[in-house]
Amino acid sequence: MTAVLDRPQAPPRLQRVRTRWAWGLGALAVLGWSLAGAGAFTGDVVNPAGTGQFGRFASAALSPALDGAFLRVLADSVLVTVAYAALGAALAVLLGAVGAVAVARTTWGRRRLGWTLSRGALAVPRGLHEAVWGLLLVNLLGLDPWVGVLAIGVPYGAVTAKVFADLLDEVPRGGHSALLAGGVGRVPAALYGLLPPASGGLLSYSFYRLECAVRSAVVLGLIGAGGLGYQLLLSFSSLRWEQVWSCVYALALLCLLADVGGRAVRRRVAAPRSSGDRLRRDPALTTAVLGTLAAVVWSWWYLAISPATLVADRTGEQLRYVLAAAWPPDVDGSLLSAVAAAAVDTVQMSVIAIAVATAGAVVLAGLAARPARASAGRRLAGTVVRLALLLLRAVPPPVWALVLLFVLLPGILPGALALGVYTLGVLGRLAAEATEELDPRPRAALTALGAGPVAGWLYGVLPAATGPVLAFALYRWEVAIRDTVLVGLLGAGGLGALLASAVAAFDWGAVTTVLVALVLLTAAVDLVSARARAALR
Amino acid sequence: MALVGPSGAGKSTLLGLVNGSVPPTAGSVQVFGADPTALRGRAQRELRARVGTVHQHLELVGQLRVVHNVNAGRLSSWPAWRAAWSLVRPQGVAEVLAALEQVGLADRVFERTERLSGGQRQRVALARLLVQQPELVLADEPASALDPVLAERALTLLAGLAADRGGALVASLHDPALALRHCTRVVGLVEGRVVLDAPAAALTVGDLADFYGAPR
């Protein structure tokens, strides 16, 4: 008997999680395939002749146009952009709040079919980029301010609904289940057990959407809706680099304001002021919410929006005409093979973009995060990195693509890199925030036992940050696949370029085919991304 | 030495001052004849490696496997490349297993730490300390998540660990009986001030109970 007990036990073995390794290797393979497709290993990609123009463009950064006439034009375009952004974001949050209830797992419970169908319904508006909506809506409504507002509000509303629903679903269930178990009804249980822990996330995401809406308003300007983007494109195409930089700085300033405002609101929500035994509202939060509402009302007035356009006879007629022409979709063989080739280009562009952005974000996140205690030099470095990231995401990807075309030959690569640089601006910020939100105590404990900075980072920060950062990267990949269309609309190839030419030719049957391909592609990317994130958890 | 006192008395702050994670607002701290906040770089890390801490909230990294959390006790002596490589292919598994054996967790060595129960995590934190081999052991509520038998074993282990290297154990404790059984000296804190400093032999469980219950 003792002989059996005394037999030395086999030591436990280290087992790798197979699914994660498979995902990791798969991701590397896809990246290699994309780089090969973009000609990174073979063909010539650099255009040495353009470096002179690029130098002139870059040196104009130090001397932006500041004359009175241009500044007045600029101020006007800023106001138009802000108005579009405010109305679009307001519409999005409104649609998102309603939609979140409709697609939250909490609402559906175990009824998986209903949940899947409602999620699927969101994929259509979400699958189309704001610019695509803009392009289609212009053909319905003509040059009306509603085009800009709806083009932002509809796709953003769908994304917001999904994120709001996820935030609600990801709240730890303990408190909510306890309420339900205690006999509390579903609505009050959600109000007391789900909404309070999620409210910080919901509010900060709403402000994040407002910030994104500013950028989208600029992008819509690029396709003709007016505002800062339109001005930027005008200056760019007339080679007035000083004016381009003025526009870029104005944009960056706008984004910075939205960024700082959103962050302040988020901080306040996360750490409310102690109000002791008196019921008090936080004045800053109240100001932010009321100020935003006031901005929405002002925007309505400033853009002179009238609901009449939406119900006008001409709109209905046009809608009927386009729908009739758009169905059935064109399934001509040569079109289908063109769509397939463009879809491959689009995927490759998005993969390269997200790889560039993730690598950059991992390197910069630590620097961009605000540590609790830091030396003056560290603080300065952090501010510089944060400003650089802000500049990267303030400039819309098509503009980055135009800039990169100075030094790169046309093809997938400039589009991919433009998207990558832009996504780095967003992802770097998200990764920095994820780093800030980590529990600092494990790292502090490692420092207290004498671990060096690198080892402390490897053991105390990296393991905890990998999950959220990769999840953000995968989420941004879903966004990037939509943005590739935007870059394409302005000429970088892929499905976007195909769509632009079909719309320009009023070939509505082909437009439907491309749109269906787009929605299917984005839905497929969403699915893969969701699976990968599940494997990461 | 046992630190006793009501919640918010400054027990954790005092331990933080000693291991250098809390900078003093006034005065200075001497640990092994040096001021932990005045040193920099290598010297600071060497001093810190001699002081081992079991934190109240454990401060383990949940996403890491147990083996890495235990190995973290050796990060002060490992170069960065070795720390990085160990995350891919765990280093020094034999010592880790020996340490886990002592706390009865050897079978969980490759488990993700967040999958363990509170008491098991506490024992992982103890194993980290065993691997670190400090001379001065600071323990903030080391027995709070353990049942009486495990608490007894944990404190014996901590006291033995400190004694092996000729050093001391400073533990903040909520259980007066445990404090008297395992410590030779008892220091009572109230609102950041020392109000009691006596050999354990001169005190009874009743004397200490006053410290936790008494509102002031």
Side-chain angles (χ1 to χ4, degrees):
Chain A
M1 197 63 195
T2 45
V4 176
L5 284 177
D6 286 344
R7 181 186 298 162
Q9 261 187 339
R13 292 219 1 217
L14 177 65
Q15 294 202 328
R16 308 270 177 211
V17 186
R18 287 233 184 92
T19 44
R20 285 195 210 185
W21 277 80
W23 277 107
L25 293 177
L28 279 183
V30 171
L31 178 60
W33 169 70
S34 303
L35 283 174
F41 304 129
T42 48
D44 286 331
V45 288
V46 181
N47 171 24
T51 41
Q53 189 68 283
F54 181 77
R56 279 192 289 285
F57 168 76
S59 61
L62 296 175
S63 54
L66 291 172
D67 56 296
F70 184 70
L71 282 187
R72 265 193 300 282
V73 173
L74 198 61
D76 223 31
S77 2
V78 167
L79 287 182
V80 171
T81 302
V82 168
Y84 276 128
L87 277 181
L91 182 63
V93 170
L94 207 68
L95 292 176
V98 177
V101 177
V103 301
R105 184 153 261 189
T106 314
T107 315
W108 292 99
R110 299 239 173 100
R111 284 160 292 183
R112 280 193 69 100
L113 180 68
W115 180 75
T116 314
L117 286 179
S118 64
R119 284 266 158 147
L122 276 191
V124 176
R126 237 156 53 77
L128 300 182
H129 192 275
E130 304 90 88
V132 176
W133 280 102
L135 206 61
L136 298 176
L137 286 164
V138 160
N139 278 285
L140 284 182
L141 302 171
L143 279 175
D144 189 274
W146 271 112
V147 172
V149 175
L150 287 177
I152 295 175
V154 171
Y156 271 31
V159 181
T160 309
K162 178 178 180 264
V163 173
F164 276 11
D166 285 348
L167 283 171
L168 286 176
D169 288 343
E170 276 162 19
V171 166
R173 293 278 114 167
H176 183 238
S177 317
L179 287 173
L180 286 177
V184 178
R186 276 166 59 112
V187 174
L191 282 181
Y192 277 76
L194 286 183
L195 219 48
S199 63
L202 297 179
L203 199 58
S204 81
Y205 188 77
S206 304
F207 272 83
Y208 170 67
R209 271 293 131 192
L210 183 60
E211 191 191 332
C212 297
V214 172
R215 281 191 293 276
S216 290
V218 174
V219 164
L220 289 170
L222 291 177
I223 61 161
L228 210 44
Y230 186 59
Q231 195 52 50
L232 183 60
L233 201 64
L234 278 185
S235 304
F236 205 105
S237 45
S238 52
L239 311 183
R240 297 212 176 121
W241 309 132
E242 289 80 10
Q243 293 188 0
V244 170
W245 280 102
S246 304
C247 292
V248 167
Y249 290 139
L251 251 177
L253 203 64
L254 256 183
C255 290
L256 183 69
L257 282 179
D259 194 272
V260 167
R263 172 181 282 271
V265 168
R266 196 171 56 92
R267 285 264 157 98
R268 280 302 177 85
V269 176
R273 291 271 172 87
S274 150
S275 58
D277 51 359
R278 287 194 13 234
L279 180 65
R280 259 193 308 212
R281 303 205 187 284
D282 189 323
L285 276 185
T286 317
T287 314
V289 171
L290 290 182
T292 312
L293 289 179
V296 170
V297 174
W298 167 83
S299 308
W300 187 276
W301 166 82
Y302 188 75
L303 292 178
I305 280 191
S306 127
T309 327
L310 289 185
V311 291
D313 291 340
R314 194 191 155 277
T315 311
E317 256 169 51
Q318 185 70 11
L319 182 64
R320 272 189 298 278
Y321 164 73
V322 169
L323 285 183
W327 200 262
D330 192 345
V331 286
D332 174 52
S334 64
L335 177 70
L336 285 187
S337 61
V339 166
V344 167
D345 283 356
T346 303
V347 169
Q348 289 180 334
M349 254 198 260
S350 73
V351 168
I352 296 175
I354 213 68
V356 168
T358 310
V362 167
V363 172
L364 293 179
L367 265 181
R370 290 162 212 256
R373 280 181 299 204
S375 61
R378 168 71 185 72
R379 255 175 232 280
L380 182 69
T383 310
V384 169
V385 171
R386 277 195 299 279
L387 279 179
L389 290 176
L390 182 74
L391 206 62
L392 292 188
R393 64 176 181 268
V395 179
V399 178
W400 280 120
L402 291 176
V403 171
L404 285 168
L405 279 175
F406 287 144
V407 286
L408 295 176
L409 292 173
I412 300 183
L413 206 58
L417 288 183
L419 210 55
V421 168
Y422 166 79
T423 307
L424 170 60
V426 183
L427 205 55
R429 174 192 131 140
L430 289 174
E433 287 185 354
T435 316
E436 279 168 37
E437 276 163 19
L438 292 181
D439 185 353
R441 293 176 303 186
R443 170 100 197 245
L446 293 176
T447 312
L449 66 79
V454 177
W457 184 81
L458 280 172
Y459 279 71
V461 177
L462 185 69
T466 308
V469 169
L470 280 184
F472 277 135
L474 285 164
Y475 164 66
R476 284 310 302 192
W477 183 40
E478 297 174 25
V479 179
I481 195 94
R482 292 164 176 78
D483 279 349
T484 40
V485 177
L486 166 69
V487 182
L489 279 182
L490 293 146
L495 284 172
L498 210 55
L499 182 70
S501 62
V503 170
F506 299 111
D507 185 354
W508 296 108
V511 168
T512 311
T513 312
V514 177
L515 288 183
V516 168
L518 254 179
V519 170
L520 287 181
L521 189 65
T522 47
V525 165
D526 288 5
L527 194 73
V528 173
S529 153
R531 283 285 166 82
R533 274 184 289 181
L536 276 175
R537 253 181 241 132
Chain B
M1 189 185 104
L3 272 181
V4 298
S7 292
K11 301 187 293 286
S12 302
T13 308
L14 179 58
L15 294 175
L17 282 169
V18 178
N19 74 16
S21 58
V22 178
T25 48
S28 72
V29 183
Q30 294 284 314
V31 180
F32 298 123
D35 181 347
T37 51
L39 294 176
R40 286 283 166 266
R42 191 73 232 169
Q44 185 188 42
R45 287 172 52 192
E46 270 164 15
L47 179 67
R48 286 177 161 178
R50 293 167 70 189
V51 182
T53 314
V54 182
H55 299 265
Q56 188 169 9
H57 302 285
L58 302 178
E59 336 294 40
L60 299 172
V61 184
Q63 292 86 351
L64 284 180
R65 294 168 195 266
V66 170
V67 60
H68 300 308
N69 264 314
V70 176
N71 263 336
R74 287 192 275 201
L75 288 181
S76 57
S77 54
W78 278 0
W81 64 264
R82 189 161 181 206
W85 178 238
S86 180
L87 287 174
V88 182
R89 189 156 280 281
Q91 304 282 297
V93 177
E95 290 101 313
V96 172
L97 275 174
L100 286 171
E101 196 80 56
Q102 286 198 51
V103 294
L105 265 185
D107 54 333
R108 313 304 289 273
V109 58
F110 293 124
E111 187 78 85
R112 271 168 54 113
T113 308
E114 61 197 358
R115 298 229 175 103
L116 301 183
S117 72
Q120 288 173 327
R121 283 184 218 181
Q122 196 130 22
R123 288 186 272 157
V124 172
L126 291 179
R128 176 190 279 188
L129 215 57
L130 287 172
V131 166
Q132 188 190 345
Q133 299 205 322
E135 293 161 53
L136 172 60
V137 178
L138 309 176
D140 203 352
E141 302 291 350
S144 59
L146 301 179
D147 64 48
V149 178
L150 283 175
E152 198 70 36
R153 278 208 357 222
L155 272 172
T156 313
L157 201 71
L158 285 171
L161 178 69
D164 279 352
R165 314 264 302 174
L169 164 69
V170 181
S172 72
L173 291 168
H174 258 123
D175 181 349
L178 216 52
L180 290 185
R181 256 203 311 285
H182 288 277
C183 301
T184 51
R185 181 177 162 201
V186 177
V187 170
L189 285 180
V190 172
E191 289 174 7
R193 295 183 186 288
V194 175
V195 293
L196 169 80
D197 186 354
L203 295 167
T204 65
V205 169
D207 292 339
L208 293 187
D210 288 349
F211 262 109
Y212 304 106
R216 273 156 213 267

